């Protein structure tokens, strides 16, 4: 287990752990906190080449949100406080950008149809037109895989629910 905010853990240690892993699981918590420390540690700079080599990334809650195109939907329910990393930290477009592992969509986790349908519809209009928001309930697992056909990469989505 690696705590990104632990100053005793070096970037080299994190990079070595990621390059040796076959599966990386990133848990939940405050999305903004996780995003900041992943960016501070250049997590995706190391992780994305590992994914291209066959490593599997599993994200739960905030760990899934940061894998989307943008973490912007983390604002919508008000569960995650963006000031957790300090009031002076400005959440601009670049800092809100996720890893984009999900085929140009952002993820809205813990979706409940009755509670969140209108919220997601209204807030989605604030987003850029080049991506959509994929809602995921607590009873769903969504798997995204990258496929290549005739030199063209595409992301495929598979929904598993109970």
């Amino acid at each position: 287990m690696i705590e990104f905010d632990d100053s005793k853990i070096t970037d080299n240690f994190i990079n070595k752990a990621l390059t040796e892993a076959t599966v990386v699981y990133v848990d939940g918590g405050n999305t903004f906190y996780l995003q900041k420390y992943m960016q501070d540690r250049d997590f995706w700079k190391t992780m994305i080449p590992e994914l291209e080599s066959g490593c599997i990334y599993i994200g739960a809650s905030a760990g899934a949100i940061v894998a989307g195109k943008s973490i912007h939907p983390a604002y919508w329910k008000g569960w995650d406080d963006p000031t957790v990393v300090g009031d002076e930290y400005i959440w601009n477009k670049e800092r809100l950008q996720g890893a984009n592992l999900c085929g140009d969509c952002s993820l809205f986790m813990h979706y409940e149809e009755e509670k969140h349908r209108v919220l997601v519809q209204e807030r989605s209009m604030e987003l850029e037109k080049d991506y959509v928001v994929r809602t995921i309930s607590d009873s769903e697992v969504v798997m995204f895989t990258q496929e290549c056909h005739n030199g063209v990469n595409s992301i495929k989505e598979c929904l598993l629910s109970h």
Side-chain angles (χ1 to χ4, degrees):
M1 183 162 89
I2 299 173
E3 299 283 340
F4 293 123
D5 61 349
D6 185 343
S7 61
K8 294 179 213 127
I9 296 177
T10 66
D11 290 345
N12 286 338
F13 177 83
I14 292 172
N15 291 338
K16 185 175 186 307
L18 292 176
T19 57
E20 292 176 356
T22 55
V23 176
V24 173
Y25 173 83
V26 179
D27 207 352
N30 185 302
T31 306
F32 298 100
Y33 190 85
L34 178 61
Q35 176 81 345
K36 181 193 184 301
Y37 284 97
M38 288 177 109
Q39 289 176 342
D40 287 354
R41 296 295 192 135
D42 285 330
F43 175 83
W44 294 111
K45 185 177 181 182
T46 303
M47 187 76 252
I48 288 177
E50 294 307 312
L51 294 171
E52 292 168 351
S53 296
C55 184
I56 297 170
Y57 178 88
I58 300 171
S61 194
I65 294 170
V66 297
K69 178 137 180 154
S70 171
I71 70 164
H72 194 270
Y75 282 112
W76 297 357
K77 284 183 273 185
W79 291 3
D80 292 358
D81 178 7
T83 65
V84 70
V85 296
D87 289 335
E88 71 285 348
Y89 196 80
I90 306 300
W91 286 100
N92 59 25
K93 183 179 176 179
E94 181 178 293
R95 288 180 173 167
L96 290 170
Q97 184 177 344
N100 200 26
L101 303 181
C102 308
D104 287 338
C105 71
S106 293
L107 304 175
F108 183 95
M109 304 303 293
H110 312 292
Y111 179 76
E112 295 178 43
E113 179 79 24
E114 289 182 24
K115 279 185 174 179
H116 302 123
R117 183 179 45 79
V118 173
L119 172 69
V120 170
Q121 286 174 345
E122 290 175 352
R123 298 297 301 264
S124 291
M125 292 182 189
E126 301 169 2
L127 302 175
E128 296 175 26
K129 299 297 179 203
D130 63 341
Y131 73 97
V132 297
V133 174
R134 170 66 166 92
T135 59
I136 302 172
S137 75
D138 288 340
S139 64
E140 295 176 314
V141 173
V142 178
M143 180 174 66
F144 295 93
T145 59
Q146 186 172 12
E147 296 182 358
C148 184
H149 297 288
N150 299 324
V152 177
N153 284 325
S154 64
I155 303 290
K156 300 290 181 188
E157 177 183 331
C158 175
L159 171 65
L160 311 167
S161 63
H162 71 319

